[in-house]
Amino acid sequence: MSRRDDLYRHQTASAGSFRFDEQVVEVFPDMIDRSVPGYALLVPMIGQLSKRFVQPQSVVHDLGCSLGAVSLSVHQALLADQPPAGVRIVATDNSPAMVKGLQQALEGLDQSAISVEARCADLRDSDFQNCSFAILNFTLQFLELDARDELLQRLCAGLRPGGALVLAEKINFDDPAEQERLTHWHHDYKRLQGYSELEIARKRNALEAVLITETEARHRARLQAAGFAQVTRWFQCFGFCAWVAEKA
Ligand code: GEK
């Protein structure tokens, strides 16, 4: 069980100071669950979706895996039925503190049928050859804008035909009034989860220019340009969306 997230209760945060360091890792499962509406549904559902796309003798990439919640969900889902042979799950994160936590979570996991490999690296250095299923669960939003097109192009090029990417992102809206409504309602969600006004404001400030959102239209255009044949939005709560992008 992770500690309750009270990081911004007592400490101030300068603009853009948010980092995935040891302090964040200690409270991360609680932080993401109480900050991202639907996270507790998305993680097991990505496991379920993996069963439709993962092919035998292929690689699954969990990109920006944090403590490996999605990798473990895919592992569990694939093992539940007849597991496809020769599948490797590669879980990549560039935060050493996160990867240390993931390695602890992997201790004792039965990897005889499907392995889970923890990699401490920049996800942009991944080799996507032979990949049948990839996940960017609230990770692309932390990459510089000008790195995003190339990453998705390389990812789609490496994906096997019939493979898919699950992309989940916080998005923004062109219409300022819609943006304001959904921001207020997201903050209502955080209040419901027990965060104070000060905690909400400090976290928002800390994430300034660290988490860079885009519109749904921009994400769809990028996925299409990268070569994905079909993009389906399967989740939305306020500005938090998830899509399945399929390669023909
Ligand atoms: C989950 N997917 O629990 N290379 C590798 N990792 C990166 C990079 C990069 N260039 N940039 C950021 N990260 C997870 C949740 S959290 C989302 C993902 C959130 C990593 C970063 O270290 C962090 O662990 C993760 O992406 C983003 O399903 O906290 O809102």
Side-chain angles (χ1 to χ4, degrees), residues 20 28 39 64 66 70 93-95 121-123 137-138 142-143:
F20 291 99
F28 184 75
Y39 179 79
S66 299
V70 166
D93 204 289
N94 67 353
S95 155
D122 193 307
L123 63 90
N137 197 33
F138 301 108
F142 291 105
L143 254 57

Side-chain angles (χ1 to χ4, degrees), residues 53-65:
F53 298 103
V54 175
Q55 302 172 13
Q57 312 298 336
S58 74
V59 183
V60 174
H61 278 282
D62 180 6
L63 301 161
C65 60

Side-chain angles (χ1 to χ4, degrees), residues 46 59-63 128 131-136 155 159 163-167:
I46 294 170
V59 183
V60 174
H61 278 282
D62 180 6
L63 301 161
F128 297 116
C131 174
S132 64
F133 192 60
I135 308 106
L136 281 161
L155 203 161
L159 259 189
L165 162 71
V166 170
L167 174 67

